[in-house]
Amino acid sequence: MTAKNAFYAQSGGVTAVINASACGVIETARAHPDKIANVYAGRNGIIGALTEELIDTSQESADDIAALKHTPSGGFGSCRFKLKSLEDNKREYERLIEVFKAHNIGYFFYNGGGDSADTCYKVSQLSEKMGFPVQAIHVPKTVDNDLPITDNCPGFGSVAKYIAVSTLEASFDVRSMAATSTKIFVIEVMGRHAGWIAAAGALVEDEGIPVVTLFPEVEFDQEKFLAAVDAKVKANGYCTIVVSEGCHWPDGKFLAEQGTRDSFGHAQLGGAAPVVANMIKDALGYKFHWAVADYLQRAARHLASNSDVEQAYALGKAAVEKAVEGKNSIMPTVVRTSNSPYAWEIGEAPLSEVANVEKMMPMDFISDDGFGITQKCKDYLYPLIQGEAYPPYKDNGMPDYVTLKLAAVERKLGDFEL
Amino acid sequence: MTAKNAFYAQSGGVTAVINASACGVIETARAHPDKIANVYAGRNGIIGALTEELIDTSQESADDIAALKHTPSGGFGSCRFKLKSLEDNKREYERLIEVFKAHNIGYFFYNGGGDSADTCYKVSQLSEKMGFPVQAIHVPKTVDNDLPITDNCPGFGSVAKYIAVSTLEASFDVRSMAATSTKIFVIEVMGRHAGWIAAAGALVEDEGIPVVTLFPEVEFDQEKFLAAVDAKVKANGYCTIVVSEGCHWPDGKFLAEQGTRDSFGHAQLGGAAPVVANMIKDALGYKFHWAVADYLQRAARHLASNSDVEQAYALGKAAVEKAVEGKNSIMPTVVRTSNSPYAWEIGEAPLSEVANVEKMMPMDFISDDGFGITQKCKDYLYPLIQGEAYPPYKDNGMPDYVTLKLAAVERKLGDFEL
């Protein structure tokens, strides 16, 4: 069998470690030249395949590919673009196969969350039917940590570490000043549907910090919340609040959509943090500060979890190894074999069982009062934030992140309207 | 001469490295038992001296004192409490001297910014007159970087590093997604009067990031700003905006005080970042994300600058060494002797020249268009963010920060009304 090319694409919101998976894919592919001739990457994700904007990764030096392991963001570009169902939009799938055929691509590595798992699954199905079989392997990635079967999703562990450490540091700050100044610190974290990241903030309880956490899984109860905060301030002099961006009222409306308006009467997009902070000020009178971490959290490669970086790389590597072994329509997974000390190995899941299944945070991870996490949750989380995998820094004090050349592969097909 | 006790207090907003100065003070004092019997610390800053709530630092182990060097926040508590002028409030100064006298305190180390330098100066003056001379030494600290004479202020370098790195990371994130999604990222940084911290964010220009920076030194010009942002998006596909919390309109009104109101009509305290982001959306239509770093930035010991940690410690150490040499009414300073490689030594400044003098950012540090920094500014900033001084981490993945015992010294005086 002559070697075929591989196609790799990054999907959805990028993370601190998605490039580590890219590094795992490309380095491992380079070690199998008998099976994989070249890895083409999609410029800006799957859109790059549809528009035939492929990046020739063979033009990138070994050092630059290695540097992906410590560089946050999506080195090849990413996009939020979900292919529609096969019935509604067969032409997009057919175009994908056409591009794969034109560039002799026999392997499809798709690095993303639930939507990309679904696309990956469909490509594996359709390519067979269309007489150009492509081995489609999904490489898991999402800070939302909501893919099934795998112990966790690369990207989540690093956000969790960043939020846990940052919440602790800011809480120490407030503790220092609380006797005469700020008594409330509110930090808003990502997670529109699931409270995984908020749960990481709640870990500071183990460091002696009085903390109240607001999860998307628990309907917001203003009275109960204010009572919980007030009790903590009265007992400890201060209180930290971790609020998920997905925290919502019983009617489903997000706290962040409080209907705030600027002086011209325009609806103002706010965050949940200022809403919560002002609510406390109005009801309890406590001086507050608030932070919205936004992209800082998912891009914070400077404080990546070593567990996370190692797993991101290992899953990219395993994807290629499994492809070379002839596997198709699967996703390599992390299998936890021990909590303490943390031990894990690589497993695999059929894409048919991954696609369109969302793993929610188990309700027994949230404490009875709804404002904290259980020991079971802590046992799950700590291993994922273990170890520090610092990037190298330049002499000037800035991190030595790589920007790739991104050389274009010559096009062979006509234009395609997205 | 028999040894006297020393009093140490932390003042104003705490930083990632003020405890490193405390460590320098206490470790150096412990090395001079012939001159300094014990170091008492003020519980919650200078208020602890006025109310005679002193902390006995001899109860803290050598390991715990050493751990202060890598622990953010104010380990003994801090406060924003400015003693009034001698004329208006002589009783507070007299109370201070009375407490010092009762506890045989002959050295006063005050760790803070401009206000505490002023207090420190007055104590040195008054104590002499009151017949109980106290050697008053100011240890510089402020993320605002606005103390005169010293090359920089401990606390600033670490915030600068955190903001420069975080802005770079989030910009990489936006760059990855910009073709089809978010094109604008706004990060709000501290600095109500001076743009030092915003200037650190502007360093990402050297990493190839299109960035527009809004300084408090430059009156906000909405039209010019929007044109600058639009030009960068058109040229690069995306743009990062660093906005100082002190950015204001020509009439002096902060951008953050846009007069936003919630659905009940209450004035809503927002940040400058959402105001700027929504302004861009309204005028140019670009999709945006925004972050407000708030306390995360000044507490971020996990990404402290090594220059900063070393200087914070060295200034605390020098304060004690100079006191032991008999110096009074001074502040040890950082003297820059070379930019590249960065070299510095400890100098000293008389408090009479420090008190009530605010060092602003030189106007030749800001580029002609008002939206960036000059090479001169970069040459100043880079040395301050050089090197990484990571804290140790525990096996569970959390940083190993110390919480002190804070044992109370027995009181000898009556109550004092603040």
Side-chain angles (χ1 to χ4, degrees):
Chain A
M1 187 183 106
T2 52
K4 289 201 166 185
N5 294 314
F7 176 74
Y8 168 80
Q10 302 180 318
S11 176
V14 296
T15 77
V17 303
I18 184 171
N19 282 335
S21 290
C23 176
V25 166
I26 296 169
E27 288 188 344
T28 311
R30 286 183 177 186
H32 291 93
D34 53 320
K35 295 284 181 67
I36 302 179
N38 195 356
V39 177
Y40 296 143
R43 189 180 300 273
N44 302 318
I46 198 71
I47 285 178
L50 292 169
T51 58
E52 206 195 352
E53 292 180 276
L54 306 183
I55 292 161
D56 182 359
T57 71
S58 73
Q59 302 295 311
E60 311 290 347
S61 70
D63 281 353
D64 281 358
I65 294 300
L68 284 175
K69 196 173 177 187
H70 64 246
T71 299
S73 82
F76 302 100
S78 185
C79 63
R80 295 189 185 282
F81 184 87
K82 188 181 179 178
L83 276 74
K84 297 193 194 74
S85 71
L86 269 174
E87 296 69 38
D88 291 344
N89 200 352
K90 204 169 174 186
R91 69 182 274 277
E92 282 178 354
Y93 291 91
E94 287 173 348
R95 168 70 176 190
L96 270 187
I97 308 296
E98 197 186 350
V99 170
F100 289 173
K101 207 167 171 177
H103 292 275
N104 191 32
I105 289 165
Y107 308 94
F108 174 34
F109 301 108
Y110 203 16
N111 201 171
D115 287 352
S116 59
D118 179 61
T119 300
C120 205
Y121 179 56
K122 284 174 183 152
V123 166
S124 72
Q125 305 283 296
L126 191 67
S127 68
E128 192 110 30
K129 281 190 205 149
M130 285 177 64
F132 187 78
V134 170
Q135 287 171 249
I137 315 263
H138 189 249
V139 186
K141 169 245 64 167
T142 168
V143 297
D144 295 333
N145 203 34
D146 60 358
L147 288 169
I149 308 176
T150 186
D151 175 63
N152 69 88
C153 302
F156 170 66
S158 292
V159 176
K161 188 175 185 94
Y162 174 85
I163 291 298
V165 173
S166 298
T167 305
L168 178 65
E169 290 176 332
S171 299
F172 265 52
D173 187 311
V174 175
R175 185 177 72 178
S176 306
M177 312 285 295
T180 57
S181 185
T182 305
K183 287 177 175 54
I184 298 292
F185 177 71
V186 184
I187 178 169
E188 177 174 338
V189 303
M190 286 179 155
R192 200 143 274 237
H193 304 296
W196 289 110
I197 299 176
L203 286 173
V204 301
E205 183 193 14
D206 282 354
E207 309 292 322
I209 304 298
V211 59
V212 174
T213 304
L214 296 172
F215 299 98
E217 286 84 353
V218 182
E219 284 177 5
F220 184 66
D221 180 332
Q222 181 165 352
E223 200 179 329
K224 213 176 125 196
F225 166 68
L226 290 170
V229 169
D230 201 27
K232 292 214 188 278
V233 174
K234 290 201 160 72
N236 303 276
Y238 71 104
C239 182
T240 294
I241 292 102
V242 180
V243 56
S244 167
E245 61 179 345
C247 179
H248 57 80
W249 296 91
D251 67 1
K253 198 170 162 189
F254 291 122
L255 262 67
E257 298 174 301
Q258 180 99 319
T260 57
R261 304 202 164 262
D262 67 17
S263 47
F264 309 104
H266 299 141
Q268 184 92 10
L269 262 182
V275 170
V276 166
N278 279 285
M279 187 187 290
I280 293 170
K281 173 75 178 172
D282 287 348
L284 307 173
Y286 296 132
K287 187 166 187 274
F288 63 81
H289 264 250
W290 55 267
V292 176
D294 193 63
Y295 283 175
L296 305 189
Q297 69 199 288
R298 75 179 196 194
R301 183 61 185 80
H302 72 267
L303 187 61
S305 143
N306 190 55
S307 295
D308 195 31
V309 174
E310 291 304 312
Q311 291 176 351
Y313 183 89
L315 289 162
K317 180 168 183 265
V320 174
E321 286 170 348
K322 286 175 188 295
V324 164
E325 287 167 19
K327 298 276 178 74
N328 185 17
S329 199
I330 56 151
M331 176 180 87
T333 60
V334 174
V335 179
R336 185 183 298 225
T337 56
S338 160
N339 262 344
S340 179
Y342 184 41
W344 55 276
E345 56 190 35
I346 295 289
E348 71 179 59
L351 282 183
S352 57
E353 292 176 21
V354 175
N356 300 311
V357 179
E358 207 175 350
K359 182 177 71 180
M360 302 310 293
M361 191 159 79
M363 284 311 288
D364 65 357
F365 275 29
I366 298 177
S367 60
D368 287 343
D369 67 2
F371 295 131
I373 56 175
T374 60
Q375 189 58 44
K376 198 170 171 187
C377 182
K378 293 174 185 176
D379 292 342
Y380 171 76
L381 289 174
Y382 278 125
L384 308 184
I385 67 168
Q386 274 170 19
E388 298 72 49
Y390 298 120
Y393 280 76
K394 298 186 284 191
D395 287 346
N396 69 3
M398 293 294 280
D400 199 359
Y401 294 146
V402 69
T403 295
L404 299 175
K405 286 201 276 294
L406 306 181
V409 175
E410 204 179 331
R411 294 184 56 182
K412 303 190 174 185
L413 300 172
D415 287 348
F416 180 82
E417 202 69 39
L418 282 178
Chain B
M1 186 183 107
T2 51
K4 289 201 165 183
N5 295 314
F7 176 73
Y8 167 80
Q10 302 181 318
S11 176
V14 296
T15 78
V17 303
I18 183 172
N19 282 335
S21 290
C23 176
V25 166
I26 296 169
E27 288 188 346
T28 311
R30 286 183 178 186
H32 291 91
D34 53 319
K35 296 283 181 67
I36 302 177
N38 195 356
V39 178
Y40 296 142
R43 190 181 300 272
N44 302 320
I46 198 71
I47 285 178
L50 293 169
T51 59
E52 205 196 353
E53 292 179 276
L54 307 182
I55 291 160
D56 182 359
T57 71
S58 73
Q59 302 296 311
E60 311 290 347
S61 70
D63 281 353
D64 280 358
I65 294 300
L68 284 174
K69 196 173 177 187
H70 63 247
T71 299
S73 83
F76 302 100
S78 184
C79 63
R80 295 190 184 282
F81 184 86
K82 188 183 179 175
L83 276 75
K84 297 194 194 73
S85 71
L86 268 174
E87 297 70 37
D88 289 345
N89 200 352
K90 204 170 175 182
R91 70 182 273 278
E92 283 179 355
Y93 291 92
E94 287 173 348
R95 168 69 176 191
L96 271 189
I97 308 296
E98 196 187 349
V99 170
F100 288 174
K101 207 167 174 176
H103 293 276
N104 192 32
I105 289 165
Y107 308 95
F108 174 33
F109 300 109
Y110 202 15
N111 201 171
D115 287 351
S116 59
D118 180 61
T119 300
C120 204
Y121 179 56
K122 284 174 183 151
V123 166
S124 72
Q125 305 283 295
L126 190 69
S127 68
E128 192 110 30
K129 282 190 203 147
M130 285 178 63
F132 186 79
V134 170
Q135 288 171 247
I137 316 264
H138 189 249
V139 186
K141 169 246 62 166
T142 166
V143 297
D144 296 334
N145 202 35
D146 61 357
L147 288 169
I149 308 176
T150 186
D151 175 63
N152 69 87
C153 302
F156 170 66
S158 291
V159 176
K161 188 175 185 95
Y162 174 85
I163 291 298
V165 173
S166 298
T167 304
L168 177 65
E169 290 176 332
S171 299
F172 265 51
D173 188 310
V174 174
R175 186 177 71 177
S176 306
M177 312 285 295
T180 56
S181 184
T182 305
K183 287 178 174 54
I184 298 291
F185 178 71
V186 184
I187 177 169
E188 177 174 339
V189 303
M190 287 180 155
R192 200 143 274 238
H193 304 295
W196 289 110
I197 299 175
L203 286 173
V204 300
E205 183 192 14
D206 282 354
E207 308 293 322
I209 304 297
V211 58
V212 174
T213 305
L214 297 172
F215 300 98
E217 287 83 354
V218 181
E219 284 176 4
F220 184 67
D221 179 332
Q222 181 164 352
E223 200 178 330
K224 212 176 126 197
F225 167 69
L226 290 170
V229 170
D230 200 27
K232 291 214 189 276
V233 174
K234 289 200 161 72
N236 303 278
Y238 72 105
C239 182
T240 293
I241 292 103
V242 181
V243 57
S244 166
E245 62 178 345
C247 178
H248 57 80
W249 297 91
D251 67 1
K253 197 168 163 189
F254 290 122
L255 261 66
E257 300 174 300
Q258 181 97 318
T260 57
R261 302 199 167 267
D262 67 16
S263 47
F264 308 105
H266 298 142
Q268 183 91 10
L269 261 181
V275 170
V276 167
N278 279 285
M279 186 188 290
I280 293 169
K281 173 74 178 174
D282 288 347
L284 306 172
Y286 297 133
K287 186 164 187 274
F288 63 80
H289 264 249
W290 55 267
V292 176
D294 194 64
Y295 283 175
L296 305 189
Q297 69 200 288
R298 75 179 196 194
R301 182 63 184 80
H302 72 266
L303 187 61
S305 143
N306 190 56
S307 295
D308 196 31
V309 174
E310 291 303 312
Q311 291 176 351
Y313 183 89
L315 289 163
K317 180 170 184 264
V320 174
E321 286 171 348
K322 287 175 188 295
V324 164
E325 287 166 20
K327 299 276 178 72
N328 185 16
S329 200
I330 57 151
M331 175 179 87
T333 60
V334 174
V335 179
R336 185 184 299 223
T337 55
S338 160
N339 261 343
S340 179
Y342 184 42
W344 54 276
E345 56 191 36
I346 295 289
E348 71 179 61
L351 281 184
S352 57
E353 293 176 20
V354 174
N356 300 311
V357 180
E358 205 174 350
K359 180 177 74 179
M360 301 311 292
M361 191 159 80
M363 283 312 285
D364 65 357
F365 275 28
I366 298 178
S367 60
D368 287 343
D369 67 2
F371 295 130
I373 56 176
T374 60
Q375 189 58 45
K376 199 171 172 184
C377 182
K378 293 175 186 177
D379 292 343
Y380 171 77
L381 288 175
Y382 277 124
L384 308 184
I385 68 168
Q386 273 170 20
E388 298 71 48
Y390 298 120
Y393 279 75
K394 298 187 283 191
D395 286 346
N396 69 3
M398 293 294 281
D400 199 1
Y401 294 146
V402 69
T403 295
L404 299 174
K405 287 201 275 292
L406 306 181
V409 175
E410 204 179 331
R411 294 184 57 182
K412 303 189 174 186
L413 301 171
D415 287 348
F416 181 81
E417 203 68 38
L418 282 178

